[in-house]
Amino acid sequence: MAPSEPVRIPPQVPPGEGAAAGTGQPFRPGEARTPRITAVLDGRVAFLGLLATALGLALGFIAEGLLRLIGLVTNLAYYHRFSSSFTSPAGHHLGWGALFVPVAGGLVVGLMARYGSTAIRGHGIPEAMEQILLNESRIPPRITLLKPLSAAVAIGTGGPFGAEGPIIATGGALGSLVGQFIAMSALERKTLLAAGAAAGMAATFGSPVSAVVLAVELLLFEYHPRSIIPVVLASVAATAVRYSLVGSAPVFSMPILASPTGTALGIYIAVGALMGLASVGVTKAVYHLEDTFERLPIHWMWWPALGGLAVGLIGLWVPRTLGVGYENIQGVLSAQLVGTTLLTLFVAKFLSWAIALGSGTSGGTLAPLFTLGGALGALTGGLLAALFPHLGVDPRICALVGMAAIFAGASRTMLASAIFVFETTLQPLGLLPLLGGCAAAYLVSALIMRRSIMTEKLARRGVRVPEEYASDYLDQLLVRDFASRNVLTLNADDTLREARAWLEADARGAAHHGFPVIDGEGRALGVLTRRDLLDPARTPDAPLRSLIGRPLAVALEGNSLREAADHMVRERVGRLLILDEAQRVVGILTRSDLLEAHAERLRHSERALARDAGAPLPRPGQAG
């Protein structure tokens, strides 16, 4: 029996008297099933890659269409003209009349959420994560239409959000929709959802690498070729469409940066740590405002209109806060916004965005956080450059670090944040400060705040979100290293009466619950449990071979413990025989052996922690 090939596989049968359930045909003792060998990739991944590529191409055009839809709503609401050009509402001439535009937009979004779908509320990524974790990545089809429409209304009427969040949510919904129309597993559907989301982000900003990394850090909950390849193909396809439509120039252009000195690099990392503190404050403020809205004695449908009122009032004070505000990010990075203008933008944008998002309207977090982080970073850098000019601090690099680090701290997407700012500015000399600043922000945020702005809402609903991606421990271990070698076997030609007598006389049998049955040549025919042997309904004079009621569930010494554990679940057994090539029993693997493997992992971990802390080491067999 070759290690990678299963032996003859008869139909699955439950314990019985030797007949295959539902077939009426007896099986031959000795027939066995071995674990499925785990494959890294198969032809199905190529099929998903083709679907993801088509999805990416479609989302390249959809993203452009949503931007034009936002532009159309903005032009109609603020300039009373029919045009789809993407423009800022900050230059309107409505006077006090502009106060009611965000209110009207909030009212429309509230109606769409109540009578369409409540899933359009919020910035979309937590909702997509919830569908992945709880609903096999099945997003209702109507979200594919309602999410972009509601976002276009909210942002076009002055909502202080970026277009990327709704586009990411729309892409994820479209990927899920494709996965629901075509027969596929939940894992494959999740891959298409993540591919759609990544394609939406890549199509908006021309940032395929950060889009892939964001999908890994927030949506896939794994790093595996079967998932990464389709996501990459979707992101590249969407970016290609963007390049064909608007060109390949960076979204946020800025002057060429100088290489940072060692001292300046340390300061940029400290700025990242400051952004980590800011991300904690921003996250807590958003959820505090959300809790405040929850306590209002009116239906939640009206909350976006109230949030719109705050947006309108703040917009009268600082018109720059209205709309997506990409021009604000551009102004911060090119040092066109400085001093009190920056400080006013930071305060006003934060209040407008936090209140609007807390009200449950449809909008995103990425662009507003980049605006806040960029403004705060530029302010810090400008102050340091004025007070300590000899340090060589560049306020523009501080703005870059602030943008990426505040999002890294708030969302816990350290790599995606750093790569995104690099891709959207194409400043290679800023990459090192970005990595250091994002790492510092992530560290500070994680030490202070248990959950991120993406996962807090899910945690409040009782959803547990994976926070670490590690290789499967059981997949690294082999059966031969954990199988028990002291196997007690029964002779197939013995009678049940003889087996019972042996159980009563031999104390060794008391520690075992399953016994392999072997023939005269030592080959395994099946397994009988203690319950089988002591069943009073059995005929005492029946030979043991006649009591075998199901095919053998076996493993080979070269199988991994993960393959063996999965095989136990499929076969609904608590033990697997370990056979050699002649089908002779050389060991047995039980559920207790699998637990012992995990206990060994815990002991190693606790020894390392105890060694670092100077505490007594755990004793062998003590898992803590």
Side-chain angles (χ1 to χ4, degrees), residues 35 46 59 77 111 124 146 154 206 228 328 333 371 380 443 481 489 517 552 556 578 591:
L59 279 163
L111 289 169
L146 291 178
I228 297 297
N328 295 329
L333 293 178
T371 302
T380 304
L443 175 63
D481 297 322
T489 60
V517 179
L552 273 170
L556 306 175
I578 313 304
R591 287 174 293 195

Side-chain angles (χ1 to χ4, degrees), residues 7-13 17-21 23-33 492 517 519 523-527 544-554 579 583:
V7 294
R8 294 162 294 176
I9 300 179
Q12 172 85 25
V13 294
E17 293 295 333
T23 66
Q25 300 296 323
F27 68 88
R28 292 183 297 276
E31 293 179 327
R33 300 181 183 182
V517 179
D519 63 13
R523 292 176 301 187
L525 303 181
V527 175
L544 294 181
R545 69 170 65 242
S546 68
L547 304 180
I548 299 172
R550 62 182 302 155
L552 273 170
V554 306
L579 305 183
Q583 287 191 237

Side-chain angles (χ1 to χ4, degrees), residues 484-505:
S484 302
R485 301 297 176 175
N486 183 23
V487 184
L488 297 180
T489 60
L490 299 175
N491 192 317
D493 295 320
D494 286 348
T495 65
L496 180 57
R497 190 190 311 277
E498 291 171 323
R500 288 172 176 173
W502 172 77
L503 276 179
E504 293 178 1

Side-chain angles (χ1 to χ4, degrees), residues 258-314:
S259 179
T261 64
T263 301
L265 182 59
I267 293 175
Y268 298 143
I269 294 175
V271 170
L274 176 63
M275 293 304 120
L277 289 173
S279 71
V280 172
V282 164
T283 301
K284 291 184 178 296
V286 166
Y287 281 101
H288 175 72
L289 287 167
E290 187 173 286
D291 293 338
T292 301
F293 275 99
E294 292 281 355
R295 291 192 290 269
L296 292 178
I298 58 175
H299 194 278
W300 57 259
M301 181 188 76
W302 304 104
W303 299 352
L306 290 178
L309 181 61
V311 169
L313 287 171
I314 295 172

Side-chain angles (χ1 to χ4, degrees), residues 36-171:
R36 301 176 186 175
I37 304 301
T38 304
V40 176
L41 292 176
D42 55 29
R44 188 73 176 178
V45 177
F47 173 67
L48 285 179
L50 289 174
L51 288 179
T53 301
L55 187 65
L57 293 173
L59 279 163
F61 293 100
I62 291 173
E64 179 66 19
L66 180 55
L67 291 174
R68 289 185 175 277
L69 182 59
I70 293 173
L72 177 63
V73 176
T74 301
N75 280 290
L76 289 174
Y78 283 97
Y79 300 102
H80 302 160
R81 64 192 179 203
F82 191 86
S83 172
S84 62
S85 61
F86 196 73
T87 186
S88 170
H92 69 83
H93 301 287
L94 298 179
W96 282 93
L99 173 64
F100 303 103
V101 175
V103 176
L107 182 59
V108 172
V109 171
L111 289 169
M112 293 177 68
R114 182 172 184 180
Y115 298 106
S117 174
T118 58
I120 66 172
R121 303 174 69 209
H123 50 96
I125 293 181
E127 289 73 21
M129 295 169 71
E130 184 174 27
Q131 296 304 314
I132 289 172
L133 295 169
L134 299 183
N135 197 31
E136 296 185 336
S137 303
R138 298 179 185 272
I139 297 178
R142 61 183 179 275
I143 301 301
T144 310
L145 178 63
L146 291 178
K147 185 62 180 180
L149 287 178
S150 63
V153 171
I155 299 171
T157 55
F161 307 109
E164 67 289 332
I167 294 176
I168 290 172
T170 301

